[in-house]
Amino acid sequence: ARVETLEAAERALELDSMDSTVLGFVGCALADIGYPDRALPILRNAVEINPANAQAWASLGSACLLTRRVEEAVQHLTHGINISPLDSRLSIWGAMLALGLMQSKDLVGALHQGELACQRDHRSYLPRIVVAGIHLLREKPELALQALNDAYRIKPDLEPAQVLPLLGRELGNSLLKLR
């Protein structure tokens, strides 16, 4: 899938490297498959061409998070969410924002954004994993387990490989040991 994604991204850039939507999706895909440094200039170009492209802003924030530019990540994710308050992807974007806030040690803000992300999509396990990690950092293991169980309710085949990249090895393993 990674090779196919990379080929599709390259092909999309060949077809239209000046369309903000194309650039936003290509940058997002590149970051998702492990090329956040390559994605960053593409996503910056996407938001420069069209500052109203909320998906590109959220992807830029996510790519910044992957490259440990936490302050930028929070700023760009917040902006993307604010300019597209009815977007169907707000749950995922909010989960990423909660991760950024968690990494910046703002656990109150992280919990707020994480719970909001859960509220925005009752079918998404990802924000529930993030909320569980935040509760664990706040030393509330019973609430962490509750959020983790909710994630398993949504995705019964949830695997460590889907938890550890979000929360990191140490926090992710601590969370999984609660179950």
Side-chain angles (χ1 to χ4, degrees):
R2 209 169 171 207
V3 171
E4 288 178 32
T5 302
L6 188 55
E7 288 173 358
E10 295 294 349
R11 180 76 176 127
L13 289 174
E14 285 175 23
L15 292 172
D16 194 347
S17 64
M18 292 304 296
D19 181 274
S20 178
T21 302
V22 170
L23 294 171
F25 286 127
V26 166
C28 182
L30 289 171
D32 283 350
I33 63 169
Y35 298 103
D37 289 320
R38 173 117 191 274
L40 284 171
I42 293 169
L43 292 166
R44 290 187 201 290
N45 195 24
V47 299
E48 184 178 324
I49 290 169
N50 180 4
N53 184 341
Q55 181 276 331
W57 281 108
S59 295
L60 178 58
S62 297
C64 285
L65 198 56
L66 291 171
T67 57
R68 292 184 167 72
R69 294 174 168 111
V70 177
E71 188 176 313
E72 278 183 78
V74 168
Q75 179 185 0
H76 298 322
L77 282 157
T78 300
H79 182 69
I81 290 169
N82 287 343
I83 65 173
S84 191
L86 301 177
D87 198 290
S88 64
R89 299 162 288 193
L90 288 178
S91 178
I92 302 303
W93 299 352
M96 297 306 289
L97 176 56
L99 281 172
L101 292 166
M102 183 177 79
Q103 288 180 19
S104 69
K105 309 291 190 241
D106 178 1
L107 297 182
V108 172
L111 183 59
H112 173 73
Q113 288 300 324
E115 289 176 342
L116 192 55
C118 291
Q119 174 187 315
R120 288 174 165 155
D121 188 347
H122 67 279
R123 301 161 297 152
S124 182
Y125 73 91
L126 193 139
R128 284 148 180 88
I129 296 296
V130 174
V131 166
I134 295 165
H135 282 308
L136 202 54
L137 288 174
R138 296 179 72 230
E139 299 180 10
K140 306 274 186 185
E142 65 286 346
L143 294 175
L145 180 58
Q146 184 179 347
L148 180 61
N149 285 337
D150 200 24
Y152 273 103
R153 176 190 58 77
I154 294 165
K155 185 166 179 50
D157 61 343
L158 186 66
E159 297 180 12
Q162 295 163 309
V163 174
L164 300 181
L166 284 172
L167 300 179
R169 185 166 305 282
E170 185 178 333
L171 181 59
N173 281 326
S174 295
L175 179 64
L176 292 171
K177 286 178 185 173
L178 293 177
R179 197 162 152 90

